[in-house]
Amino acid sequence: MEIRQLRYFVTVAEEANFTRAAARLHLAQPGVSAQVRQLEKELGHPLLDRSGRSVTLTEVGEAVLPYARAALSAVEAVRQTADEFTGLLRGHVTLGLVSGAAAAAHAYDLAAVLAGFHEDHPRVEIALTEDTSERMLTALHRGELDIAIIGLADEEPPPGISLQVLVDQPLVAALAPDDPALTEPGRTSMRVAELRDRALISLPRGTGIRGVLDRACAQAGFQPRIAFEAAAPLFLAQLAARGLGVAVVPALPAGAASAFGLRTLEITEPRLRGRLALAWRTDGPSSPAATAFLNLLRTALTAPRNVSSTSTLPST
């Protein structure tokens, strides 16, 4: 019995699919399947039922799974203990970024943070992935991500997740200068109810801002009519400038609205906010490397630089 066979078995059990498990392990699917079958042959029992559309555990597999996980944890503990004596930190850290967050991340110089951590801990491998906030929260719960930068749709953090808010800014309606809503001189705000029946330009479902918008519209008694959606707020603003609808985006940096040829009105009744946050499991990352990286991020991502570029709109 080999440690890698246990790791492959556990991963397939968690993914309920050999192809997804192989992708997660960065291996070819036939190799993963062959090693799991070799483990089953050695144990003398099938551990996985492959007859359905998804892979499920057999009765023996259910009984074996906790011990396989414990064995993998023990092996990792051996490595960590040995590394403590040599002052080394190694391992694998997975960081998730909400779609389009790279545009906002440079306000904190995230690239410099990553470079500094790599210089201090060259044996730690860092994997970056981009996805929606909803899917990354699921990945955090399942242990597929160690840390994520997500957009928040709710006031309270999800159960089992801890947060550090990085960006908290009002949401605005970005409109072309000839929009009928701008006929009133000196107007600075727009009620949520006024978005009813308007063509809206928004971030995709699963992002924090879209969740905030959908919830506010539902509370006002209507379903938003989304004409266009895209992951980059910068592109949403460009669509609004073409008169294709009302873009719901974070407040634009100084001068950005005029640079796009847009007018912005703060959304009120209720006031909507876009929040970007660092997220991790409340019980902490699973490895010393991930813990060290989280501690660095929590310190480094506290006071973003003042940025006026139009390319820094966060996708939350």
Side-chain angles (χ1 to χ4, degrees):
M1 184 184 307
E2 299 181 12
I3 291 299
R4 63 173 177 167
Q5 293 173 339
L6 295 178
R7 181 173 293 109
Y8 297 174
F9 163 62
V10 169
T11 305
V12 173
E14 291 176 348
E15 293 293 338
N17 181 279
F18 275 94
T19 301
R20 289 197 298 269
R24 179 172 155 188
L25 291 163
H26 306 290
L27 296 170
Q29 186 270 334
V32 174
S33 181
Q35 288 298 320
V36 173
R37 287 193 182 279
Q38 183 62 35
L39 176 62
E40 292 174 317
K41 181 179 179 181
E42 183 173 345
L43 294 176
H45 293 278
L47 303 177
L48 299 168
D49 183 351
R50 302 160 173 83
S51 62
R53 295 184 64 180
S54 62
V55 178
T56 59
L57 289 164
T58 64
E59 185 177 0
V60 176
E62 290 275 9
V64 167
L65 183 60
Y67 294 101
R69 283 176 168 151
L72 294 176
S73 296
V75 169
E76 183 61 27
V78 169
R79 292 196 182 101
Q80 293 170 8
T81 301
D83 286 347
E84 288 174 1
F85 280 94
T86 57
L88 293 176
L89 189 64
R90 63 182 177 184
H92 183 85
V93 180
T94 53
L95 171 66
L97 300 173
V98 69
S99 300
H106 87 269
Y108 299 92
D109 205 354
L110 182 58
V113 175
L114 291 168
F117 185 82
H118 177 69
E119 183 177 349
D120 292 339
H121 308 291
R123 301 187 69 177
V124 175
E125 177 186 351
I126 301 177
L128 300 177
T129 184
E130 190 176 61
D131 210 334
T132 66
S133 299
E134 285 185 358
R135 285 197 289 264
M136 287 195 296
L137 283 171
T138 299
L140 282 172
H141 278 296
R142 295 173 61 177
E144 297 167 5
L145 286 178
D146 295 304
I147 309 161
I149 296 177
I150 63 172
L152 301 180
D154 301 309
E155 289 297 323
E156 298 298 323
I161 298 296
S162 293
L163 302 172
Q164 177 175 311
V165 176
L166 307 177
V167 173
D168 186 346
Q169 57 189 153
L171 297 185
V172 300
L175 309 101
D178 58 353
D179 190 281
L182 297 173
T183 55
E184 180 183 334
R187 188 175 187 187
T188 60
S189 64
M190 186 176 196
R191 294 177 292 110
V192 168
E194 294 178 81
L195 299 177
R196 183 193 299 267
D197 299 326
R198 293 297 306 263
L200 301 182
I201 304 171
S202 173
L203 293 165
R205 290 186 183 276
T207 57
I209 285 178
R210 179 61 176 274
V212 169
L213 173 63
D214 287 347
R215 181 174 293 105
C217 292
Q219 291 172 347
F222 68 95
Q223 182 174 348
R225 182 163 68 89
I226 306 299
F228 295 90
E229 62 178 31
L234 180 65
F235 186 56
L236 301 183
Q238 292 172 332
L239 292 174
R242 296 283 185 174
L244 296 175
V246 179
V248 178
V249 294
L252 299 173
S258 58
F260 280 117
L262 288 171
R263 287 276 307 278
T264 61
L265 301 177
E266 183 178 358
I267 300 175
T268 61
E269 297 184 30
R271 282 187 165 84
L272 307 185
R273 302 197 68 82
R275 298 189 299 157
L276 198 69
L278 189 67
W280 63 94
R281 291 188 303 279
T282 300
D283 57 3
S286 58
S287 71
T291 299
F293 188 49
L294 173 61
N295 291 337
L296 175 63
L297 290 175
R298 295 192 67 187
T299 301
L301 306 186
T302 53
R305 296 177 281 116
N306 292 324
V307 182
S308 59
S309 169
T310 60
S311 65
T312 59
L313 294 173
S315 176
T316 58

